[in-house]
Amino acid sequence: MSMKLYYAPGTCAVACWIALKWADAAFEAVKVDYASKEFKRINPLAAVPALDIGTGRAMTQADAILSYIAETHPGAALGPDPDPLGRFEFGETMAFLTGDFHPAFWPFFFPARYTTDESQQALDHVRAAAFARIDRAMAHLDALIGEDGHVYRHRHTVADAYAFIMARWSAKTPKSWQDYPNISRLFALMESDDAVREVLERSQA
């Protein structure tokens, strides 16, 4: 049975699409309005990605889906090294991307969620505070990435796709990914990848 990946343009769900392409998986990418009643029946949290593998309940949460893709397609070598430290380092990296990196952007893009003051000045203050956190998260990601441009242990994994898609959001902040040398190396690798280019083009259609 072919899987269905539910996505919205520009979201971290696009990282799951890239990972599925790298894994040479059989799947259908389905564009959704994640706030719609129809999609809330698939994921009541009204968030993408969601991955339907035919088990009756769609999988959710990007890091969990990415890890599932890596584990179920071992020939693609997209997951952690098998040693305990390797698994820890991979889990730690994915947890950082989910728990620190992703949320750092929320107040910048949705400042009204973080204050009861609806004035423009208050919203600007929320964005300014958010950018300081984004910069710290971007600097940490830059330190994780080696001179070869990979996020985990100098090789190609789903963590590259996850970090790449979210780091693209920094283009809308005062300091973009281009200002971080190792993140720029990651971007050079990803933007030269045929599968990545295909997914970026199709996901924006």
Side-chain angles (χ1 to χ4, degrees), residues 12-30:
C12 57
V14 178
C16 298
W17 189 344
I18 291 170
L20 286 165
K21 288 289 290 183
W22 282 347
D24 197 24
F27 72 100
E28 177 187 359
V30 181

Side-chain angles (χ1 to χ4, degrees), residues 107-115 117-132 174:
F108 189 86
F109 290 120
F110 308 105
R113 296 180 181 178
Y114 297 88
T115 178
D117 186 341
E118 297 180 358
S119 69
Q120 188 59 51
Q121 183 180 40
L123 298 180
D124 289 343
H125 286 167
V126 172
R127 286 193 180 95
F131 174 65

Side-chain angles (χ1 to χ4, degrees), residues 11-146:
T11 66
C12 57
V14 178
C16 298
W17 189 344
I18 291 170
L20 286 165
K21 288 289 290 183
W22 282 347
D24 197 24
F27 72 100
E28 177 187 359
V30 181
K31 183 178 178 180
V32 295
D33 173 2
Y34 49 80
S36 68
K37 290 181 181 179
E38 292 78 13
F39 183 68
K40 286 179 182 177
R41 286 195 286 269
I42 296 169
N43 182 6
L45 292 174
V48 291
L51 183 67
D52 182 358
I53 63 169
T55 58
R57 183 183 75 85
M59 295 177 168
T60 63
Q61 306 298 333
D63 59 332
I65 291 172
L66 288 165
S67 294
Y68 172 81
I69 293 167
E71 186 173 351
T72 54
H73 298 81
L78 298 173
D81 291 341
D83 62 284
L85 184 57
R87 291 195 300 271
F88 167 78
E89 290 175 1
F90 186 82
E92 181 184 43
T93 298
M94 297 295 282
F96 158 70
L97 291 172
T98 298
D100 293 290
F101 196 74
H102 193 173
F105 287 90
W106 295 347
F108 189 86
F109 290 120
F110 308 105
R113 296 180 181 178
Y114 297 88
T115 178
T116 56
D117 186 341
E118 297 180 358
S119 69
Q120 188 59 51
Q121 183 180 40
L123 298 180
D124 289 343
H125 286 167
V126 172
R127 286 193 180 95
F131 174 65
R133 186 178 178 190
I134 290 169
D135 186 37
R136 288 195 298 272
M138 290 284 285
H140 184 74
L141 176 61
D142 194 68
L144 286 179
I145 298 170

